[in-house]
Amino acid sequence: PRVMAVYGTRPEAIKMAPIVQALQGSAVGVDVVVTGQHRHMLDQVNAVFGIEPDADLDIFAHGQGLEAVTSRTLDRLTPVLREREPAAVIVQGDTTSAFAAGLAAFYLKIPVIHVEAGLRTPTIWSPFPEEGNRRLLSRITTLHLAPTPTARDNLLREGTDPASIAVTGNSVIDALLTTAGTSRPIADPTLAATDLDGRRVVLVTSHRRESWGEPMARTARALARVADSEPDVTIVLPLHANPRVRDIFVPALAGRANVVLTEPLGYTDFAQLTARAEVVVTDSGGVQEEAPSLGKPVLVLRDDTERPEAVTAGTAKLIGTDEQRVVDEIERLLHDAAHYATMANAVNPYGDGKAAARSVAAIEHLLGVGERLPDF
Ligand code: UDP
């Protein structure tokens, strides 16, 4: 049998890559179809993992709405599905294109496999549209690859058949562990030219829709204050390609010697930078999961999270985007060693680097060519 993996954004690619690699060496073949979103960042990730897409749907146009993403995904993926007749379609996470790709498969009665299934926030609107996309995907999914027992329990509470769920760990940890340990030279020219010797590094990323505008501006002002009051700290902020992110952070932070703004970093650069950082401040889902497995405390610039495991374990803290609070929480981690140690030493709840093997075993089992592995 042959399955088809469909993805388009950087985080989807990072989480899908270990599974695609493992499928390539399994009894199940895999075709890779990209949607064309985040094209440059996606190419970088595929290159790191040696993946060459078999088809590119080229769905994304500047300024198009979610309805256009949905309808274009349906229009362009359906003929590819008809032609290649995959035994199942694999999608990851909660983007609108992942949901629409699942829907295209569902309409052709092709089983849907959902990677990172079962994440939930309390209301369907938060974050919009991801929470809705997640819930909609769950209803048309045949095999739920849940990253953690918490995610499995969310699915069970909604009446999902337990036999359709495998708990795999999160494949982002597989990607990270195979990447962070490599000591490849830094590729980004700005980062490569930055001397971090003896510096305390605060790594920041912020790009989510819910942070756009005033919340992001408050974060930017808080970072400027930390930079000005902490001369031995270097804040490194890889900027997302989205101009809504750049237009806020660049004017607020440019011109400071101890703030480094870079282009989106390739995955090997970013993984090595995370390993080098003392504190991670982020609104990203993937970064929230990665940092704890490198023993880094994470301050989450959001009011709720579909990833409560690290908050419960104590390695992550939800701090929102109040300017004073962001300053205080960073300062506390920089100066309160006991507090720092408590967060840094908590156990990473997201995976053990074997999520891809468990996922592939569950996929083989679904397709009748193998046996499942025990849950994570
Ligand atoms: N990442 C990267 N380069 C960067 C910033 C992030 O490779 O400059 C990686 C990071 O390691 C993580 C993923 O991108 O695996 C997170 O993606 P993003 O924050 O775009 O999306 P989210 O996780 O919030 O969906």
Side-chain angles (χ1 to χ4, degrees):
R2 241 184 135 64
V3 297
M4 184 183 287
V6 185
Y7 56 90
T9 63
R10 172 178 65 193
E12 289 171 284
I14 291 169
K15 291 174 174 179
M16 208 68 119
I19 296 174
V20 169
Q21 278 186 329
L23 281 169
Q24 285 168 340
S26 80
V28 178
V30 59
D31 287 327
V32 171
V33 174
V34 296
T35 63
Q37 193 174 4
H38 291 183
R39 186 177 303 282
H40 181 62
M41 297 198 283
L42 182 80
D43 290 348
Q44 274 182 345
V45 177
N46 278 333
V48 168
F49 292 91
I51 294 169
E52 282 183 33
D54 299 283
D56 186 335
L57 303 178
D58 197 19
I59 284 160
F60 286 82
H62 183 68
Q64 82 187 341
L66 296 171
E67 80 298 340
V69 173
T70 307
S71 59
R72 283 158 72 105
T73 304
L74 287 168
D75 284 345
R76 296 190 180 187
L77 180 59
T78 300
V80 180
L81 293 173
R82 285 216 165 94
E83 186 199 318
R84 301 196 185 217
E85 298 183 327
V89 165
I90 314 177
V91 294
Q92 194 284 332
D94 53 22
T95 61
T96 298
S97 58
F99 163 63
L103 188 61
F106 172 76
Y107 285 156
L108 294 174
K109 295 193 173 168
I110 299 170
V112 175
I113 298 168
H114 187 199
V115 175
E116 203 180 56
L119 275 57
R120 293 292 184 268
T121 49
T123 82
I124 195 166
W125 297 107
S126 174
F128 175 80
E130 290 88 347
E131 179 64 17
N133 288 336
R134 287 195 276 266
R135 295 189 196 189
L136 291 163
L137 255 178
S138 295
R139 299 287 77 83
I140 54 172
T141 287
T142 299
L143 174 60
H144 308 262
L145 300 175
T148 64
T150 307
R152 176 200 52 213
D153 293 345
N154 290 336
L155 289 164
L156 291 176
R157 242 193 323 276
E158 293 170 3
T160 311
D161 176 5
S164 70
I165 308 171
V167 185
T168 60
N170 198 308
S171 55
V172 80
I173 307 300
D174 301 35
L176 180 72
L177 296 182
T178 55
T179 310
T182 61
S183 52
R184 286 194 224 176
I186 296 294
D188 180 81
T190 309
L191 191 60
T194 305
D195 186 3
L196 294 176
D197 254 11
R199 308 286 303 166
R200 308 179 72 184
V201 175
V202 176
L203 171 60
V204 184
T205 80
S206 175
H207 73 91
R208 296 175 68 98
R209 182 181 295 261
E210 62 199 289
S211 307
W212 292 352
E214 196 39 42
M216 201 173 274
R218 290 194 297 266
T219 299
R221 288 195 295 271
L223 295 175
R225 284 171 55 190
V226 172
D228 292 344
S229 62
E230 300 289 341
D232 59 343
V233 164
T234 298
I235 296 177
V236 184
L237 203 166
L239 291 169
H240 200 266
N242 193 323
R244 287 176 196 266
V245 175
R246 290 172 181 250
D247 292 350
I248 289 177
F249 284 117
V250 174
L253 292 167
R256 287 180 172 76
N258 62 341
V259 178
V260 182
L261 304 174
T262 75
E263 291 301 306
L265 296 177
Y267 190 58
T268 35
D269 280 5
F270 190 82
Q272 291 183 70
L273 184 60
T274 310
R276 174 65 181 76
E278 194 167 319
V279 175
V280 176
V281 183
T282 191
D283 64 4
S284 154
V287 176
Q288 249 174 91
E289 292 157 340
E290 290 167 335
S293 59
L294 297 177
K296 311 297 173 176
V298 190
L299 300 174
V300 181
L301 299 163
R302 294 179 56 191
D303 298 318
D304 56 17
T305 178
E306 60 290 325
R307 294 171 169 85
E309 294 90 342
V311 177
T312 308
T315 84
K317 197 165 176 186
L318 278 179
I319 64 166
T321 54
D322 176 74
E323 182 183 328
Q324 188 59 44
R325 175 104 196 260
V326 173
V327 171
D328 290 345
E329 295 284 357
I330 297 174
E331 299 277 353
R332 184 164 177 215
L333 278 172
L334 290 171
H335 298 294
D336 180 342
H339 173 62
Y340 186 91
T342 309
M343 287 189 75
N345 295 334
V347 174
N348 145 47
Y350 290 114
D352 57 0
K354 297 187 180 116
R358 291 192 194 90
S359 301
V360 170
I363 293 167
E364 288 178 338
H365 178 71
L366 175 76
L367 301 179
V369 294
E371 284 313 312
R372 279 202 180 174
L373 296 171
D375 278 349
F376 166 66

